[in-house]
Amino acid sequence: MAKVQMDRFTPVFAIAAASELAEMHPQTLRQYDRIGLVVPQRTSGNTRRYSLYDVHRLREVARLSAEGLSLEGIRRVLTLEDRVRELEEQVHDLERALSEEMLKRPERRVFAAGAGGEVVTLRRGTRMRRNAEVVVWKP
């Protein structure tokens, strides 16, 4: 028998269980599904299956609604939060890749700002002369 991997995105809850966990009426969950606010996965028989992530989003919808946001406002907030999360993951991946690349290179380079604001490569163990000039950067 194969092991099934479960995470917070695994659809395991029927609508009754999800509505109880989210402390909402099942009809509210159906409405949110219809308008695309929280869309659960479907089984082959077309029944809704909610994940822990979906339940978390339902609770977030309830919290935002209690704060006075409209459903369209809530949709926008959730979309922006999703985008921020995606970008944070991308930044994390890029930082990890950069870290790994820097560790692979024993001659790791050091960079500094030159007198005109340009990037200057320094040899390992050297320093830039201090300069008290102020450089204004204009894009």
Side-chain angles (χ1 to χ4, degrees), residues 3-37:
K3 263 189 172 176
V4 176
Q5 287 282 29
M6 289 184 55
D7 62 12
R8 64 189 181 125
F9 299 104
T10 305
V12 293
F13 302 109
I15 194 167
S19 67
E20 189 173 324
L21 289 169
E23 298 177 351
M24 295 179 171
H25 193 278
Q27 194 59 35
T28 305
L29 274 64
R30 288 184 190 96
Q31 178 188 5
Y32 290 167
D33 183 12
R34 271 193 302 278
I35 64 175
L37 201 54

Side-chain angles (χ1 to χ4, degrees), residues 1 9 25-27 33 35-36 40 45 48 57 69 71 74 86 93 98 109 118 123 126 129 133 139:
M1 185 176 250
F9 299 104
H25 193 278
Q27 194 59 35
D33 183 12
I35 64 175
R48 294 173 177 89
R57 283 182 75 94
L69 268 71
L71 292 179
I74 291 169
E86 289 170 10
D93 291 344
L98 178 61
R109 294 183 177 183
E118 73 280 4
R123 278 187 272 126
T126 61
R129 284 183 309 161
E133 292 178 20

Side-chain angles (χ1 to χ4, degrees), residues 68-119:
L69 268 71
S70 67
L71 292 179
E72 184 55 34
I74 291 169
R75 179 192 327 278
R76 288 182 184 185
V77 167
L78 294 178
T79 300
L80 290 171
E81 285 178 347
D82 288 344
R83 184 66 180 140
V84 167
R85 198 172 2 269
E86 289 170 10
L87 291 171
E88 285 173 341
E89 288 173 11
Q90 186 177 3
V91 166
H92 178 72
D93 291 344
L94 290 170
E95 286 174 338
R96 187 172 5 112
L98 178 61
S99 245
E100 290 170 3
E101 187 62 31
M102 294 297 288
L103 289 174
K104 288 179 190 175
R105 298 179 184 203
E107 77 281 356
R108 290 177 262 178
R109 294 183 177 183
V110 177
F111 298 93
E118 73 280 4
V119 175

Side-chain angles (χ1 to χ4, degrees), residues 113-116 128-136:
M128 289 288 292
R129 284 183 309 161
R130 290 188 182 244
N131 192 342
E133 292 178 20
V134 175
V135 177
V136 178

